[in-house]
Amino acid sequence: QEEALIFESGRYETTGVDFDEPENFSPRLGGLAREGDIGLPGLSEPETMRHFVRLSQKNYGIDTGLFPLGSCTMKHNARLNERMARLPGFADVHPLQPVSSVQGALELMDELSRYLVTLTGMTSVALSPKAGAHGELCGMMAIKAAIDAKGEGETRRTVLVPESAHGTNPATAALIGFKVRTVPADTDGTVRVQAVKDLIGPDTAAIMLTNPNTCGLFEPEIVEIARALHDAGAYFYCDGANFNAIVGKARPGDLGVDAMHINLHKTFSTPHGGGGPGSGPVVLSQRLAPFAPVPFVTPGAEGLILVEHEKDADEKPFGRITAFHGQMGMYVRALAYMLSHGSDGMKQASEDAVLNANYIRAGLRDLMSQPFGDKPCMHEALFDDSWLKDTGVSTLDFAKAMIDEGYHPMTVYFPLVAHGAMLVEPTESESKSSLDLFIASMRDLAQAAKRGESERFAQAPFHAPRRRLDETRAARQPILKWTPPEPMREAAE
Amino acid sequence: QEEALIFESGRYETTGVDFDEPENFSPRLGGLAREGDIGLPGLSEPETMRHFVRLSQKNYGIDTGLFPLGSCTMKHNARLNERMARLPGFADVHPLQPVSSVQGALELMDELSRYLVTLTGMTSVALSPKAGAHGELCGMMAIKAAIDAKGEGETRRTVLVPESAHGTNPATAALIGFKVRTVPADTDGTVRVQAVKDLIGPDTAAIMLTNPNTCGLFEPEIVEIARALHDAGAYFYCDGANFNAIVGKARPGDLGVDAMHINLHKTFSTPHGGGGPGSGPVVLSQRLAPFAPVPFVTPGAEGLILVEHEKDADEKPFGRITAFHGQMGMYVRALAYMLSHGSDGMKQASEDAVLNANYIRAGLRDLMSQPFGDKPCMHEALFDDSWLKDTGVSTLDFAKAMIDEGYHPMTVYFPLVAHGAMLVEPTESESKSSLDLFIASMRDLAQAAKRGESERFAQAPFHAPRRRLDETRAARQPILKWTPPEPMREAAE
Amino acid sequence: MRYLPLSPDDRSEMLAKIGVDAIDDLFADVPADKLLTEPLDLPRRKGEMEVERILGRMAGRNVTASSVPFFVGAGAYKHHVPATVDHVIQRSEFLTSYTPYQPEIAQGTLQYLFEFQTQVAALTGMDVANASMYDGSTAAGEAVLMAHRVTRRGKAVLSGGLHPHYADVIETLSHMSGDRVVSLPADPRADEDIIAAIDDETSCVVVQTPDVFGNLRDLTKIAEKAHAHGALLIAAFTEVMSLGLIKPPGAMGADIVVGEGQSIGNSLNFGGPYVGLFAARQKFVRQMPGRLCGETVDAEGKRGFVLTLSTREQHIRRDKATSNICTNSGLCCLAFTIHMTLLGQTGLQRLARVNHANAVALADALAGVPGVEVITGAFFNEFTLKLPKDAAAVVEALADKGVLGGVPYSRLAPDADCDDLLLVASTEVNTDDDRAAFVAALKEVLG
Amino acid sequence: MRYLPLSPDDRSEMLAKIGVDAIDDLFADVPADKLLTEPLDLPRRKGEMEVERILGRMAGRNVTASSVPFFVGAGAYKHHVPATVDHVIQRSEFLTSYTPYQPEIAQGTLQYLFEFQTQVAALTGMDVANASMYDGSTAAGEAVLMAHRVTRRGKAVLSGGLHPHYADVIETLSHMSGDRVVSLPADPRADEDIIAAIDDETSCVVVQTPDVFGNLRDLTKIAEKAHAHGALLIAAFTEVMSLGLIKPPGAMGADIVVGEGQSIGNSLNFGGPYVGLFAARQKFVRQMPGRLCGETVDAEGKRGFVLTLSTREQHIRRDKATSNICTNSGLCCLAFTIHMTLLGQTGLQRLARVNHANAVALADALAGVPGVEVITGAFFNEFTLKLPKDAAAVVEALADKGVLGGVPYSRLAPDADCDDLLLVASTEVNTDDDRAAFVAALKEVLG
């Protein structure tokens, strides 16, 4: 059965919420009352429930199967964390209540900050960024503010970005007026300090480097790269999307990082929720800490204080990047994760994530090709498509065929430095038996591809709520909302 | 992918719950410590979550589609009610706390009782029965106690039960020593007062009559039947499984009922939960009220009192039928349902339930056969299999084919008075468009059956987590738990 | 009304399709003078917000177990249930499904029932378990009826350590069905001679361990005597978590084991819903009450599960059924199964040790209160205090001081002449602070 | 550790299969002196019960909106969210899924995003809406950047009625990107001459309605002037529920509409996560930031949905993207869509009237407090009081009396010289008792 859109099944006069009509009052709308239909049909509660439950059945989630989406870190989302975020003391509190009435909320933010600073070896943290890319923006703004404060704003206008970087990196740099220069990757998938030095000049503001990088490799020359930047008066922005590989194993602060965002929804397992909400706190080195934006929590005479305006700060906040104080709901979940794991559990989680990725790599390396040779990876294993040469099967076909085996595909065609990339991140949440089953399924598929069973791939998926969707058509003539059918016009044509 | 049993995927040393081992204590187990493995493997939390989520995906529920199971009343389960039942003030309260610390809980029970008594027009209610059949037991025990109190315990030993009755009725009567005599149904599917009178004698203790009956019909001579019983010194037990058809439309107390259980999980929409828990309060007439079992709530000098022992009661409780006070969690949900609907909403719900059933009946009556003629039904529409004659398709086949259309089958082969019965109860929760779609699907199937497309039926379902299951095999050599495979023994054979 | 999808227009259209003029034409069989014309004397519909306020106010009048030092047990126990459990049991496909009579689209329910049965059998040390009863007390009642069927005798002997509610349920049922019950007197120190009460008319003897006073009982000799006389031993428990630490009834000769499963996966809920566990020896399987889930194969040979041996049940056998039970505790079984899966035996044993350690610490602390005697020797997480005052009055006085300090035995059995006995339970939720608060409050109350 | 399935034996086996001796062999690229050998200075793992206690204690230190008479708004509003919403968004298939990059197994997410976009377009009266931004303020910042792209100009004019946080976000972003911002002064009585500030260098003018002081603004003339000068009108709102009752920006000439969607479906959450709404005229669609979901067909011709126009986005266009946004507010969109589906326009309009009626009643009641002036003429559910004392001090004093009485404007903009202004909101959750308590407390504080 197909699931109709609510605009097809609902009716304007239906509502699934009961309120009594207010009586005896004079509206005070100053002639700006809305008239006519809004265009929003309603459904009764039973219809609403069934509609959305049935929609959900067309989705795949971590809870329904292994979700090896490289760089995205689809790890277990503990329901304890959901429960904690829903405590009325966190969920039913307004951001502009008197601070005396939200001391527990500020305490939580303070404690989360302590954890993040300790785990990263940095000086301070700006909590308010709403997601990873927002955290990048925040970090790069802090760098820009620091450069401006040194009077170098006119000269230091270039940001170095490796070619393997997430798209958000160059987009962020460009958003606030930096020019982007691309750093080539070495043949082993990492960035050489020499390649960086070749590009450093007096115009260099910063590098944006992901570590572990998007090929799933720890940058072996990261300390030297950081030193080269610092020696040139520039800053080291680290994209922390892959921090989950090294929590408890190494601290970005020890590596020379000046700013790094942390995707709470990756490393600390706040749910991805089909695309958000995320949360992207940025940890800052001593050099950048003074420029952290408002608001932030600080100790005061009678409890914790929330500094909401630049003039109230001792330091030099570069401004404000969002209303209110950030993603409180995600802070709670992330802190629940950290408290639950503890320092021992977080370290173990990193190790298990790396172990699981290498186990998959080891299980597939004889069939599938690794672009940078057979060597250990961090938390994700990267394959390219050279092993598919002459099979007629593309990376996309292979990914779609995985759906028929009951798996969500891995990340494909990213990073760009590997041809036809397939980036597999199992996370620490998978058991050995789950990995064994996955490896066996992948091997079966890979052998089928090599045997030339191309029809199993070209048309895949066969067993999904939808067959392959026509994305070109969607983009050529975008239909971005439902519009009522026009039978009269159609009949006339 | 098949979902392994936890005994196949789990391990004895794994646990998904973290507690620290207690230190420095001397066990005081008196030599009765358990030794060796218990035989209970554990799973980590991510594995547990995925296991049960994947199991759930093999189920069908009200939230996923129309569930027309006659006599079972699969109506919408509002999540408000779930939320209310989980309020710590209800869920986190012990039944044996001092009554001074649970006045709100007693108030809720008292308020629920008031609603039930008002809706049924009866005198009092015994809340504690844990489910419908338990309520039957409670009601029949009250009748037995009343008979004993009159000194007629030795003579009044027979209970009349119509042939269309639920199996629980005769089972209940027999459980406490009554002999069961079957009352034949009339050709129109109802019970004639004369048929009852023909069986009434000095040995008659009671009748157990369902109204509306299991054919979905309101017993037209119910008042006369009640009078006949009463005139003979016997009692009228009404099976209230179908009370949902007449809430707010008619009161059992006005019809002469002496005792009736109410399935809170049917009429008042506490979730069926895959087979429970239910709740079966019994409303009692003035004649039976004194015999209600302990415990019950009653007003006292300083708030509400819980009478837990016969000696503390003013009346003559027949005893106790369960530990503690019954299904509090279900009371909360049921009262939330009643408060939400109000007297107007409950009446409307009954009317809509009846309307929906008749709409289905009207939509199918030209294709499918009604055993008692084309006349209005109450909340469920009964068909028999005479229209399938010579098609090679059985009621069971038809039901299984419905699964392939995306529907849960209706109740089949019950009531026994209709040959190859199909009992369809849509409930008031279905929209007209949902019913239209259902009718269209049923018509399509019915026409296919008549066209002789028997293979579509004989092997159905095709599109379900399992094909038809071998029930005979299950019963012949019952395998009621998992046992470890014995590869050695098998190898030896 | 938010729950009712039909609009007034829908209703008119549908009545026309049916061929009647008005809704009451469909209620024509209701005697005209019995058809209600006025709304009943109850309030009209309310929105969610209003309902939340009304019920929230009632809920707020109760003292919750989590909000105070809490030591109440006697058949229901405050344990910590992982968040995963409540999440899963609320999934639509479990919550809003029916008894799995259509197994092809109910394998989710059926597989967990099969897992549940296996877990219960392992825990109790028995051959087979059913798919649950309403609760421990009704399971005990059904066990006695089953013993009558098996032995074709009608006399049950109940230990004086059996929870009085359980004994009441058995006695009520037996009284109604015309069977006999011999109840031994309350037995706080577990020194009753139950063996002497067993004779050739005895169908069964019902013994609880840990008993209602907390005493651990060795059932071995009772089983021997019972079997020698052709009677069955029914072992009962109210705290299933004890089975993580103490010898299971199956290893001590029990023929039927019944008990309350609430402690695993289920909240206190002011007494219900709970989940009754019921296990037995293989040879009695066809005399068992309740649903049984069994393994089989489908038409393609794949493993699957179905409800089975239903010829025992009321919907087939009617007045010859082994029980009248129909609905059981499905969703509570699921909660049990999930929690037990999370625990595994490693977690269960550890949690049981935490419970036991906390109870031992509490017993030692309370034994230091002047005038208080701990009269239970071997116990799991519950024991009995002998007080110098009326226990019910002490409990009320403790409650006034913000401590819920246990259950006076007299509340369960007012006629037992045990007014000075207090049943005290301690689980993993109790902290050192809780214990200290209890000791301090008790000293004050007794001082 | 409950979250980690690997056992020590597993780990050994797996290392062997990989071909290394120890886990740290896999961390060989980490400089040896940087590899941590000691655990970090943080506590070790804790069980669920302990975590609940720690976080429960923190939560208990906050005063919840539901527990007191509550009138705080200024950009976030306390509304009643039906239980259905929170149930559905916790379903595993929604909660634990990723951005729908594999549309064949993400139609659930994609269809609700399409429904969400349609709802937002209808509410705002615009042609198209995207699949959400982080919140209203960041949506406003993105709207200004978009206006710069569309007009190829760099000067934004901000109304003095714009929420100061929104203005701060725009100003910070503009400062960093080298664009110009002209901010008009705070404008409590909505009598600013914004039209005069528009010139030929203006890329956009940003006007909020209801504005931060609660005033309803007619945007028609501003739109005319902006368009005459080749500039865009960006209309902002912080209370989406107002759109049930007041004329939508799309009907008043807005080119881009941005706002906060929290009020529909989402809790207060101390400020986040919320859901930013972003709508625009059709002709600007390829300049929009954020994800867009579009309709298409699959290989069998069945209707389906995909993310589309992704060539605008950072993962394709990199430094030429329309925005750097990646993650948005997926699950908050779902909450919004469910709540809006339950409401429908009938429910939304009624709920909006309840809000307005409560606010009118409150305004009338507070106007009767000596020394208090209601300075907002036309408003929805929020208005401004002029007090005879410092508003921040009054709010603190009210809080001491158990009333959370609104937001002092000075908290949002300390330099605006508006220390006597108090922003007061009232929604459907407020009762007569709440109002009476507020009036009484305010009288005392001012008296």
Side-chain angles (χ1 to χ4, degrees), chain B residues 12 16 21 28 32 34 37 40 59 63 92-94 97 107 249 275 308-309 322 352 400 466 470, chain C residues 24 36 57 61 65-66 76 92 102 104 109 123 245 247 270 296 303 328 342 345-346 353 411:
Chain B
Y12 287 168
E21 195 61 52
R28 217 165 291 178
L32 288 166
R34 186 165 192 160
D37 284 325
L40 290 171
N59 263 14
D63 284 354
D92 192 30
V93 178
H94 191 288
Q97 288 180 209
E107 182 188 354
K249 299 294 292 182
E308 295 181 281
H309 298 282
T322 181
D352 284 0
K400 297 297 185 194
R466 280 289 177 274
D470 188 343
Chain C
D24 279 349
L36 297 171
R57 190 192 52 74
R61 295 181 65 205
S66 300
S92 292
Q102 296 288 346
E104 296 86 355
T109 298
L123 270 170
L245 209 52
K247 195 181 285 190
F270 197 53
T296 186
R303 178 170 72 181
N328 61 12
L342 283 168
Q345 65 179 37
T346 297
R353 282 192 294 271
R411 175 155 179 194

Side-chain angles (χ1 to χ4, degrees), chain A residues 12 16 21 28 32 34 37 40 59 63 92-94 97 107 249 275 308-309 340 352 400 466 470, chain D residues 24 36 57 61 65-66 76 92 102 104 109 123 245 247 270 296 303 328 342 345-346 353 411:
Chain A
Y12 288 167
E21 194 61 52
R28 217 165 290 179
L32 289 165
R34 187 167 192 157
D37 283 325
L40 291 171
N59 263 13
D63 285 354
D92 192 30
V93 178
H94 192 288
Q97 288 180 210
E107 182 188 354
K249 298 293 292 181
E308 296 180 280
H309 298 282
S340 294
D352 284 0
K400 297 298 184 192
R466 279 291 176 274
D470 188 344
Chain D
D24 280 349
L36 297 170
R57 190 192 52 73
R61 294 181 66 205
S66 300
S92 292
Q102 297 288 344
E104 297 86 356
T109 298
L123 271 170
L245 209 51
K247 196 181 284 190
F270 197 53
T296 186
R303 178 171 71 181
N328 61 12
L342 283 167
Q345 65 180 39
T346 297
R353 282 193 294 272
R411 177 157 178 191

Side-chain angles (χ1 to χ4, degrees), chain B residues 116 184 245 269 272 440 461 488:
Chain B
L116 294 177
S269 181
H272 280 81
M488 310 248 304

Side-chain angles (χ1 to χ4, degrees), chain B residues 323-390:
Chain B
F324 312 127
H325 332 307
Q327 307 285 63
M328 182 68 177
M330 304 295 122
Y331 304 160
V332 180
R333 291 171 174 89
L335 186 58
Y337 172 100
M338 293 179 186
L339 290 169
S340 294
H341 281 79
S343 59
D344 51 335
M346 285 191 275
K347 180 185 179 199
Q348 186 69 61
S350 299
E351 292 180 352
D352 284 0
V354 169
L355 183 60
N356 278 357
N358 278 286
Y359 187 67
I360 286 179
R361 196 179 54 75
L364 298 176
R365 59 185 158 191
D366 59 327
L367 282 176
M368 294 168 64
S369 49
Q370 302 176 66
F372 307 115
D374 184 24
K375 64 178 184 179
C377 60
M378 297 301 288
H379 62 300
E380 49 196 2
L382 179 62
F383 300 95
D384 65 16
D385 64 357
S386 60
W387 66 281
L388 283 172
K389 194 155 179 276
D390 303 328

Side-chain angles (χ1 to χ4, degrees), chain B residues 68-70 77 104 135 149 176 211 246 251 278 334 353 364 367 407 411 420 438 487:
Chain B
L69 208 57
N77 298 136
I176 55 174
N211 185 54
I246 58 168
R251 300 190 303 173
L364 298 176
L367 282 176
Y407 288 108
T411 292
F438 176 75

Side-chain angles (χ1 to χ4, degrees), chain D residues 101-343:
Chain D
Y101 290 139
Q102 297 288 344
E104 297 86 356
I105 47 175
Q107 286 296 303
T109 298
L110 286 158
Q111 183 166 336
Y112 84 66
L113 288 178
F114 190 78
E115 293 174 343
F116 171 81
Q117 291 175 179
T118 307
Q119 287 175 334
V120 173
L123 271 170
T124 55
M126 301 297 284
D127 298 327
V128 290
N130 77 7
S132 85
M133 311 299 285
Y134 307 133
D135 69 354
S137 68
T138 55
E142 293 275 6
V144 169
L145 293 178
M146 173 171 155
H148 293 343
R149 286 195 299 276
V150 167
T151 61
R152 297 171 189 270
R153 299 176 185 175
K155 177 181 149 190
V157 175
L158 311 188
S159 157
L162 184 61
H163 193 295
H165 283 182
Y166 287 46
D168 289 348
V169 170
I170 293 170
E171 283 166 10
T172 298
L173 197 56
S174 298
H175 172 73
M176 288 286 173
S177 61
D179 297 309
R180 275 199 296 154
V181 174
V182 176
S183 291
L184 302 184
D187 179 36
R189 293 177 197 262
D191 50 11
E192 68 189 349
D193 186 2
I194 202 164
I195 289 177
I198 302 171
D199 60 24
D200 286 344
E201 293 178 358
T202 305
S203 69
C204 60
V205 51
V206 186
V207 191
Q208 179 176 325
T209 180
D211 71 14
V212 70
F213 300 100
N215 301 289
L216 304 186
R217 301 281 194 109
D218 189 340
L219 308 179
T220 315
K221 292 210 161 52
I222 303 170
E224 284 168 12
K225 176 75 183 291
H227 294 161
H229 284 271
L232 304 188
L233 171 60
I234 298 173
F237 56 84
T238 63
E239 173 50 294
V240 64
M241 203 168 278
S242 66
L243 292 171
L245 209 51
I246 67 171
K247 196 181 284 190
M252 298 190 283
D255 299 288
I256 304 174
V257 180
V258 292
E260 179 51 63
Q262 169 263 329
S263 285
I264 309 284
N266 289 277
S267 304
L268 287 171
N269 289 330
F270 197 53
Y274 290 170
V275 49
L277 310 184
F278 196 110
R281 303 226 171 267
Q282 177 71 38
K283 62 182 171 185
F284 303 134
V285 65
R286 286 173 198 271
Q287 290 297 338
M288 285 175 79
R291 294 183 187 134
L292 290 166
C293 172
E295 181 182 322
T296 186
V297 294
D298 78 353
E300 292 177 345
K302 288 186 183 161
R303 178 171 71 181
F305 304 93
V306 293
L307 293 183
T308 192
L309 299 182
S310 55
T311 50
R312 300 165 302 112
E313 291 186 76
Q314 45 73 27
H315 65 281
I316 305 289
R317 192 68 75 89
R318 302 178 77 85
D319 55 328
K320 303 290 186 298
T322 58
S323 164
N324 77 332
I325 194 169
C326 177
T327 291
N328 61 12
S329 296
L331 211 62
C332 301
C333 296
L334 176 58
F336 181 102
T337 307
I338 300 166
H339 193 182
M340 188 59 81
T341 299
L342 283 167
L343 286 166

Side-chain angles (χ1 to χ4, degrees), chain C residues 21 43 78 110 129 159 197 200 247 263 272 308 341 358 387 396 427:
Chain C
D21 295 327
K78 168 70 183 168
L110 286 158
S159 157
D200 286 344
K247 195 181 285 190
S263 285
T308 191
T341 300
N358 278 356
L387 300 178
E396 287 292 342
T427 71

